[in-house]
Structures are given as structure tokens and as C-alpha cells.
């Protein structure tokens, strides 16, 4: 039998009502929401009743999606499924830090709240945008980005999808150049140029914050966005650099498959990672858990 990887969703697919069914049917999931509420009052209410506008604000998005991710992972664990590896996409990596045992759930939740605050502040100080580029190779996207000022490929999602962070004033220039190359460009509904040099102040703030946080060895190997390899060496450095450097998602998935993973379970919100993984390798089994039906039908 092959190995299992649990992958934690990133922000972007959040919606009002996320995680409510798992909260109601899984004691383990409910415990995660209760933990979040004890630190940041109203987190559950935001997940279940927040408006789309409210949930799109970074300081709300990150804590709520983190909670939905971790709650879903706990529901999977409660069912007796223990993964061999974990990974998270961007924000999802912070939830995975908790699940892997590197941080307590309380410390991981406090970290995601601080991360959201710092990234929101950095985004407001330097207006940026993010554009998903489809139908072009990563190499071609890098070539186009290299012709535009303050423009960086930042999410290497799949062979035919790369997300680019760019100065807000240059976003339309990027889209036009992508179309000239017969690609497709889509503005993402985010408030800043995340995973780019624009997040340097946020990274510094995270480094300062982590000075007083104790980290443990991972009980379940966690693959880092920054390296596409398991966490090793200076964990705090990996966490800090993650917010201002590219997410190497395609390479992460390929490396997990090379380690024998043939089953991926996406936990949290939406099915973005499920879709990307199938585009990276159509032979692996992919599933998602975000509601009661998903949980009940889950078999590995």
C-alpha cells in the first residue's frame, strides 16, 4: 500500500459556512473551533456566518481558513486516518505546523493571527496584485515577468499554472503580455502581492515574533513551501522566509510522490489543491474533506 499525505488548503476559497458541518458532527473538529474562539473571540461565528467581504480581509481570512483546515484534519484523524506526510499551501502550511507537532495548536493559531496582521500591514504599505497565469509553462511565465518592473512568479502550482505577484500599476501590463503569448490571465481576489519581496517587512516581523516561541521536532514530516523538502535545520527560518518567497507546490507534490505517496487528502476549504495535484500527476488518488459527506465517504 502506498503512503498518504494530508494537504492543507490556502486562502482564496473561503466562504460563509465553512466547516460548520464538521463542527456539528465531529467532536475533534469542534475542539479546534473552541480553541480558536478562546484565543480570538468570534472566529467560529466568522467561519459560519461571515460575509464574503468580511472573510476576504486578510486579518480575518487567515485565522478562519486556518481553523477550517485544522478542524478538517482533526476530523480525519478522529476517523483513524494518520498521514505519513503533511504539507500546506501558503497559509495552509501554518495549520500543518500545528498538525505535524512542531507547534501546539494554540501557538500555531497565535502565529497565524500575527502573520495575518503583518502581511496585511505590508500589503497596505506597498500596493500589489496577484495574477494567475494559465496555459503557459513556468519558464515562459518567468520570461514574461522578467520584462516587467516589480513582477515575480510566486506560486508554482502546476505545469500549466503559475501565479505572479506584481506592482498594482503593472498588473494589466502583465495580463496583456500573457495574452500576447496565447496564455490566460486572471486577477486573484487578494489584498496584496504575497510571497514576494513586498512581504519583507512581514517576514522581519515574523522573525521577531518567533524569537520567543519554542518549536519541537516534527512528529509527522512536514514539507516546506520554501524548499519543497521536509522541514529540517532552522525551522524558524523556513517559517519566516515562506511569506516572501515562492510557494513551490508542484515540486512539493512531485517530491511527495517520489517518497511513495499515492493518496492525497485535501483538508479545509474548497478543492483547489485536489485539482492542482491531478494536473501534476493524474495517476495518484486525490480526495477532499470539508463537510460531513466528504468525511463519511472517506476511505483510503
Amino acid at each position: 500500500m502506498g503512503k498518504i499525505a494530508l494537504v492543507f488548503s490556502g486562502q482564496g476559497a473561503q466562504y460563509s459556512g465553512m466547516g460548520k458541518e464538521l463542527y456539528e458532527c465531529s467532536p475533534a473538529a469542534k475542539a479546534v473551533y473552541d480553541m480558536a474562539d478562546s484565543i480570538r473571540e468570534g472566529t467560529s461565528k466568522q467561519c459560519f456566518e461571515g460575509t464574503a467581504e468580511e472573510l476576504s480581509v486578510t486579518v480575518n481570512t487567515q485565522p478562519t481558513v486556518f481553523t477550517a483546515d485544522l478542524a478538517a484534519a482533526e476530523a480525519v484523524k478522529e476517523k483513524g486516518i494518520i498521514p505519513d506526510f503533511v504539507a500546506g499551501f501558503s497559509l495552509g502550511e501554518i495549520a500543518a505546523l500545528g498538525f505535524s507537532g512542531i507547534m501546539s495548536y494554540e501557538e500555531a493559531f497565535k502565529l497565524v493571527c500575527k502573520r495575518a496582521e503583518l502581511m496585511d500591514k505590508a500589503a497596505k504599505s506597498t500596493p500589489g496584485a496577484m495574477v494567475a497565469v494559465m496555459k503557459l509553462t513556468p519558464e515562459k511565465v518567468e520570461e514574461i515577468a522578467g520584462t516587467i518592473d516589480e513582477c515575480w512568479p510566486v506560486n508554482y502550482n502546476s505545469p500549466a499554472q503559475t501565479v505572479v505577484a506584481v506592482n498594482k500599476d503593472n498588473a494589466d501590463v502583465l495580463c496583456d503580455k500573457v495574452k500576447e503569448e496565447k496564455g490566460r490571465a486572471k486577477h486573484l481576489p487578494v489584498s496584496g502581492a504575497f510571497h514576494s519581496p513586498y512581504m519583507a517587512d512581514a517576514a522581519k516581523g515574523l522573525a521577531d515574533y518567533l524569537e520567543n516561541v519554542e518549536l519541537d521536532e516534527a512528529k509527522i514530516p512536514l514539507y516546506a513551501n520554501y524548499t519543497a523538502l521536509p522541514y529540517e535545520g532552522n525551522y524558524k527560518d523556513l517559517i519566516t522566509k515562506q511569506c516572501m518567497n515562492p510557494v513551490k507546490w508542484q515540486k512539493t507534490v512531485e517530491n511527495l510522490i517520489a517518497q511513495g505517496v499515492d493518496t492525497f487528502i485535501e483538508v479545509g476549504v474548497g478543492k483547489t489543491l485536489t485539482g492542482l495535484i491531478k494536473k501534476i500527476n493524474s495517476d495518484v488518488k486525490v480526495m477532499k474533506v470539508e463537510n460531513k459527506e466528504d468525511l463519511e465517504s472517506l476511505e483510503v
Side-chain angles (χ1 to χ4, degrees):
M1 179 181 171
K3 296 176 181 177
I4 299 169
L6 216 57
V7 292
F8 292 72
S9 306
Q11 65 190 82
Q14 63 273 0
Y15 58 88
S16 184
M18 58 183 170
K20 192 168 190 295
E21 289 186 16
L22 294 180
Y23 175 91
E24 292 170 345
C25 77
S26 164
K30 182 179 184 298
V32 173
Y33 282 96
D34 291 345
M35 176 277 297
D37 284 337
S38 73
I39 296 169
R40 179 182 180 272
E41 189 177 351
T43 298
S44 295
K45 184 176 173 64
Q46 272 191 340
C47 288
F48 306 154
E49 302 174 18
T51 64
E53 185 179 8
E54 183 183 7
L55 290 170
S56 70
V57 178
T58 301
V59 293
N60 296 328
T61 315
Q62 294 200 22
T64 54
V65 172
F66 170 102
T67 305
D69 281 5
L70 195 54
E74 275 294 302
V76 170
K77 182 179 174 183
E78 185 179 43
K79 194 167 178 174
I81 298 170
I82 309 297
D84 299 284
F85 304 98
V86 292
F89 189 98
S90 187
L91 158 68
E93 187 169 308
I94 311 303
L97 279 166
F99 194 82
S100 72
I102 290 174
M103 307 179 80
S104 69
Y105 286 178
E106 290 80 7
E107 283 290 0
F109 185 74
K110 289 174 185 175
L111 173 63
V112 85
C113 291
K114 188 65 177 178
R115 181 181 186 269
E117 173 194 320
L118 290 166
M119 291 176 75
D120 184 58
K121 185 179 178 182
K124 285 174 179 171
S125 68
T126 315
M130 296 183 80
V131 175
V133 179
M134 283 77 73
K135 299 185 178 179
L136 296 178
T137 65
E139 293 77 16
K140 176 55 74 173
V141 176
E142 288 171 351
E143 182 185 314
I144 294 170
T147 68
I148 301 170
D149 288 339
E150 298 180 59
C151 184
W152 310 273
V154 293
N155 296 350
Y156 290 84
N157 291 348
S158 75
Q161 185 186 115
T162 305
V163 174
V164 178
V166 60
N167 182 291
K168 205 164 192 176
D169 292 339
N170 295 335
D172 288 339
V173 175
L174 170 65
C175 292
D176 290 342
K177 291 198 173 192
V178 166
K179 288 169 188 170
E180 285 172 14
E181 295 291 343
K182 306 292 189 257
R184 189 160 68 90
K186 178 184 177 185
H187 285 269
L188 298 183
V190 296
S191 59
F194 302 130
H195 297 287
S196 79
Y198 281 3
M199 293 293 118
D201 286 347
K204 185 181 183 305
L206 279 175
D208 293 342
Y209 175 82
L210 286 167
E211 278 186 11
N212 300 313
V213 177
E214 290 293 321
L215 303 181
D216 295 318
E217 288 297 317
K219 296 179 177 66
I220 304 171
L222 164 62
Y223 274 65
N225 288 173
Y226 180 60
T227 61
L229 297 168
Y231 263 64
E232 60 181 9
N234 187 335
Y235 286 7
K236 292 181 180 181
D237 196 47
L238 292 172
I239 297 168
T240 299
K241 287 181 175 174
Q242 191 244 31
C243 75
M244 63 170 290
N245 283 280
V247 174
K248 298 173 182 173
W249 188 249
Q250 180 181 339
K251 191 64 180 172
T252 296
V253 171
E254 290 170 346
N255 286 345
L256 284 164
I257 293 170
Q259 289 299 313
V261 172
D262 65 1
T263 301
F264 289 84
I265 304 171
E266 178 176 4
V267 288
V269 184
K271 54 186 179 182
T272 299
L273 302 185
T274 302
L276 292 177
I277 292 165
K278 288 303 282 185
K279 288 174 182 172
I280 294 166
N281 188 316
S282 60
D283 295 330
V284 297
K285 185 177 182 183
V286 292
M287 294 167 281
K288 69 177 183 70
V289 173
E290 67 172 321
N291 55 40
K292 183 180 180 182
E293 182 183 352
D294 292 341
L295 185 65
E296 290 177 346
S297 64
L298 183 65
E299 288 185 14
V300 295

